[in-house]
Amino acid sequence: MGLPVTLAMRGRHTTDALADAAWERVVESLRDADRTFSTYRDDSEVSRINRGELALDDASATVREVLTLGAEAALASGGAFDVWRTDENGVTSLDPSGVVKGWAVDRAATLLHDLDDTDFCLSAGGDMVCRTVVPGADPWRIGLEDPHDPRQLLGVLPVENGAVATSGTAHRGQHLVDARTGRPPSGIAAVTVITRSLTWADIDATAAYAQGIDAGLWLEGRPDRTALVVWHDGTTTTVRTAPKTSAA
Amino acid sequence: MKRIVLWLLSTLTAVVLLFGYHTSTAGPASTSVVAPPVAGSSGTASGSNTSSSSSKTYTGPSTDTRWGPVQVAITVSDGKITDVTVPVYPNGNPKDQEINAYALPILTKATLASQDGSVDMISGATVTSQGYATSLQGALDEAGL
């Protein structure tokens, strides 16, 4: 499984050595996350945890940080989203991919903050972090693809500072299931969530999608989110909620 | 300025593309490809000149994916990509066809959108695209973009 990672830059540092060096740090940061968390790599910490070779208490600080996020996400979604999976034989395993992608891109994006007067939009597989610091610059224009026809856009979303994540099944088949039932959700085609961090935009898009027809209702209870739910029949629901002081 | 890399959750990284990127602050797009090139990327210029002035088609290397080979061709006119086609793609079973029907059109659109400036990025369900990007890199190399 490959994710195309795209970085768009504008402003002072876009083609110079500083920009190139920052891009290399971004790529290295993503590779580092891959080495630590990939369930496809036998030598990753996650694989070692799943083989019983590494106790959770002995895992690195980054792994424990991601596991904490996973626990918060499971709690917030009533268990619809969970990094722990139990198979039909009762064997529990760790698959933090649903948290790691957003978290890793958020982490990599901070490496670009050092570039003065430079805006960027860092995208990984259709989820992105946008930053605009240049005075008078236009917002980034994020096209929202139509889950019923990926050649079409549902619309264009202007984003100055924030993160956008979309969950759906259009490109990889039914890969998302409700962790409570182990079954694909019904009635829903895609969920896009915009909020401050990609970690939470990604988690919320996935968790909302997994809840099927309850997605809109659940998103109403999440703080500081803008969300678009596309239903199976092509109708849409927009959710916008106020910031809250106490939550993720 | 736009850079692309494939971040693989299964194997190590392969492709780094650097696109010229037209923005209000960056001036006219100057498209170029930077190192490192893909190992084994050896695109072939088919040179199929179409009717208009300087339009030329470049075909990337056929790249194996878990579903079968993928090959990307780009048409370049006056230094800009005007069309992206996927002449070779896996279609062995219904699942493949589903993947192709969705993944390749969105990738084609993303390639064109990245240089025409109408949108900066596209948010959508995750695309499986290693073979696409690898072959695209070969075609871009060949085109000198």
Side-chain angles (χ1 to χ4, degrees):
Chain A
M1 185 61 60
L3 289 177
V5 176
T6 308
L7 172 64
M9 308 170 84
R10 61 188 188 195
R12 182 181 293 176
H13 302 292
T14 58
T15 56
D16 59 12
L18 275 177
D20 289 344
W23 168 240
E24 278 176 25
R25 287 198 297 276
V26 165
V27 173
E28 180 48 42
S29 173
L30 294 173
R31 285 177 179 160
D32 175 68
D34 190 32
R35 281 192 292 269
T36 304
F37 292 101
S38 176
T39 55
Y40 295 93
R41 299 169 68 104
D42 286 342
D43 59 345
S44 73
E45 275 194 66
V46 166
S47 293
R48 290 166 56 212
I49 288 168
N50 280 332
R51 287 196 304 267
E53 296 169 11
L54 181 66
L56 292 181
D57 289 345
D58 297 329
S60 65
T62 52
V63 167
R64 281 181 280 132
E65 180 183 344
V66 164
L67 290 179
T68 301
L69 284 168
E72 289 174 19
L75 190 65
S77 66
F81 181 104
D82 202 334
V83 296
W84 294 98
R85 305 275 163 79
T86 304
D87 67 15
E88 59 271 25
N89 301 318
V91 177
T92 300
S93 63
L94 175 63
D95 181 1
S97 307
V99 176
V100 166
K101 183 177 145 190
W103 174 86
V105 174
D106 268 335
R107 184 179 74 161
T110 62
L111 300 169
L112 297 165
H113 292 184
D114 296 340
L115 299 172
D116 294 334
D117 300 325
T118 304
D119 300 341
F120 67 81
C121 180
L122 178 64
S123 164
D127 301 333
M128 62 276 299
V129 174
C130 303
R131 184 172 159 97
T132 305
V133 293
V134 176
D138 292 331
W140 292 100
R141 291 155 301 180
I142 309 304
L144 299 181
E145 77 172 12
D146 182 346
H148 295 102
D149 182 0
R151 289 163 294 189
Q152 305 291 324
L153 295 180
L154 286 174
V156 178
L157 186 73
V159 180
E160 285 189 351
N161 291 287
V164 184
T166 298
S167 274
T169 57
H171 296 136
R172 293 196 298 191
Q174 287 283 2
H175 69 291
L176 290 174
V177 298
D178 184 334
R180 297 168 299 190
T181 62
R183 304 166 75 95
S186 63
I188 193 166
V191 180
T192 297
V193 175
I194 303 103
T195 191
R196 211 165 304 171
S197 81
L198 187 57
T199 303
W200 283 102
D202 197 18
I203 288 172
D204 278 25
T206 306
Y209 182 85
Q211 297 181 67
I213 55 172
D214 297 325
L217 197 63
W218 181 75
L219 286 162
E220 294 279 0
R222 304 292 293 152
D224 198 17
R225 309 288 198 262
T226 300
L228 178 73
V229 180
V230 184
W231 304 104
H232 219 267
D233 62 3
T235 60
T236 59
T237 298
T238 305
V239 176
R240 186 166 294 188
T241 60
K244 207 157 60 179
T245 48
S246 64
Chain B
M1 180 55 52
K2 201 165 200 173
R3 296 165 167 83
I4 295 179
V5 68
L6 269 181
W7 179 33
L8 305 177
L9 285 167
S10 52
T11 52
L12 262 184
T13 307
V15 187
V16 179
L17 303 184
L18 175 63
F19 284 101
Y21 191 59
H22 186 88
T23 70
S24 54
T25 49
S30 57
T31 308
S32 60
V33 174
V34 294
V38 185
S41 126
S42 56
T44 52
S46 65
S48 60
N49 279 303
T50 52
S51 55
S52 66
S53 56
S54 59
S55 179
K56 196 172 179 185
T57 299
Y58 300 88
T59 305
S62 176
T63 305
D64 287 328
T65 71
R66 59 193 292 188
W67 296 287
V70 173
Q71 191 165 32
V72 178
I74 59 174
T75 302
V76 178
S77 181
D78 296 329
K80 288 197 68 172
I81 301 172
T82 55
D83 192 22
V84 181
T85 58
V86 186
V88 177
Y89 53 87
N91 58 1
N93 62 46
K95 192 183 171 197
D96 290 339
Q97 283 162 10
E98 183 182 341
I99 290 163
N100 292 325
Y102 289 106
L104 297 177
I106 184 69
L107 283 165
T108 302
K109 184 177 65 182
T111 303
L112 293 170
S114 70
Q115 61 167 14
D116 74 12
S118 59
V119 291
D120 297 308
M121 295 281 185
I122 293 170
S123 183
T126 303
V127 170
T128 298
S129 56
Q130 177 185 0
Y132 177 90
T134 304
S135 186
L136 174 62
Q137 162 85 78
L140 290 168
D141 283 344
E142 194 60 40
L145 292 176

